Amino acid sequence: DQQVKQNSPSLSVQEGRISILNCDYTNSMFDYFLWYKKYPAEGPTFLISISSIKDKNEDGRFTVFLNKSAKHLSLHIVPSQPGDSAVYFCAAQKLVFGQGTRLTINP
Amino acid sequence: DTEVTQTPKHLVMGMTNKKSLKCEQHMGHRAMYWYKQKAKKPPELMFVYSYEKLSINESVPSRFSPECPNSSLLNLHLHALQPEDSALYLCASSQTVLAGTYEQYFGPGTRLTVT
């Protein structure tokens, strides 16, 4: 049973545009969410997090939105840059990961 | 120093071999983790150590044996593995496991192939 789901295995976005990566979860007890970015041959790198007491957290080009009633969160990257091309994992409470979304930024 | 190091980077072993994976961090983190990641799948938690004590074992087969000799080191001892155990093994650390609010720092992983 996948408690954290990323339903889009891949996403392709033009450089300079907004990338939106989505994540859904089923466990209403989760109260902390993280996004990680993973390049090939490297371990995941922490990107941004959000606590359930907030509905938005922003860090530079990265913003995470949390909709608790829908059990949905999204990561917005704007403007998207070629260096953002990677696999992005949504995680809950550090320990439960989604399947990942491969983002490709096209120059 | 925000680095988690793992050795070796690659390991090929037979089903009768005994080998160990090593992980090290010098960030003063008191929580360390082993994950297993198969191709095109998310990392799956195997073990969590908190203050050098095993706090979570996600029903991992006994052919995987973790060890935390001190707060900076985490080992994973392997014995009598199966070919389906071939995967990327990731080590991670975080300040603590309390409150679930601290991000994890991951090592680059050890690519294990069991023949």
Side-chain angles (χ1 to χ4, degrees):
Chain A
D1 178 30
Q2 195 76 23
Q3 296 188 71
V4 179
K5 296 181 184 179
Q6 292 174 255
N7 292 316
S8 298
S10 64
L11 176 68
S12 185
V13 173
Q14 209 65 26
E15 182 180 1
R17 299 290 187 106
I18 183 170
S19 296
I20 300 177
L21 295 92
N22 294 303
C23 179
D24 297 295
Y25 61 96
T26 57
N27 190 335
S28 57
M29 298 299 289
F30 287 156
D31 60 5
Y32 197 79
F33 303 89
L34 308 96
W35 283 93
Y36 287 86
K37 178 165 100 171
K38 187 178 186 302
Y39 293 117
E42 294 182 14
T45 304
F46 170 74
L47 201 52
I48 192 169
S49 62
I50 189 166
S51 162
S52 61
I53 62 173
K54 293 184 171 184
D55 52 21
K56 175 182 172 182
N57 188 24
E58 192 172 350
D59 183 2
R61 296 185 298 114
F62 302 91
T63 303
V64 56
F65 295 92
L66 176 62
N67 182 333
K68 289 185 288 294
S69 59
K71 297 194 184 69
H72 177 82
L73 60 156
S74 60
L75 174 68
H76 293 213
I77 307 173
V78 56
S80 300
Q81 299 174 354
D84 296 330
S85 297
V87 177
Y88 289 78
F89 289 100
C90 164
Q93 316 283 85
K94 304 196 298 264
L95 305 180
V96 182
F97 282 77
Q99 302 95 317
T101 295
R102 181 174 300 280
L103 175 64
T104 303
I105 306 300
N106 305 307
Chain B
D1 181 8
T2 58
E3 194 181 16
V4 175
T5 59
Q6 289 186 244
T7 55
K9 283 189 167 34
H10 300 275
L11 178 62
V12 179
M13 59 186 290
M15 289 189 283
T16 58
N17 291 158
K18 282 186 181 181
K19 296 285 184 184
S20 297
L21 309 185
K22 297 186 184 305
C23 174
E24 193 166 358
Q25 57 87 16
H26 295 287
M27 294 176 276
H29 289 173
R30 303 312 298 270
M32 296 186 77
Y33 311 78
W34 280 115
Y35 286 86
K36 173 181 174 179
Q37 186 177 22
K38 302 280 274 186
K40 298 191 189 325
K41 297 286 188 185
E44 291 180 13
L45 183 68
M46 298 174 72
F47 302 104
V48 180
Y49 272 83
S50 177
Y51 292 87
E52 295 95 70
K53 292 194 187 310
L54 182 64
S55 61
I56 296 178
N57 176 342
E58 289 287 334
S59 303
V60 180
S62 60
R63 56 186 185 269
F64 295 92
S65 174
E67 179 198 17
C68 191
N70 60 56
S71 60
S72 300
L73 294 174
L74 185 67
N75 298 322
L76 185 63
H77 302 297
L78 314 172
H79 175 53
L81 294 195
Q82 304 296 310
E84 59 265 28
D85 296 322
S86 298
L88 179 69
Y89 287 85
L90 292 162
C91 171
S93 70
S94 66
Q95 288 188 28
T96 70
V97 292
L98 298 175
T101 57
Y102 296 109
E103 65 266 23
Q104 291 173 303
Y105 292 78
F106 281 84
T110 293
R111 175 73 59 190
L112 174 68
T113 303
V114 181
T115 60

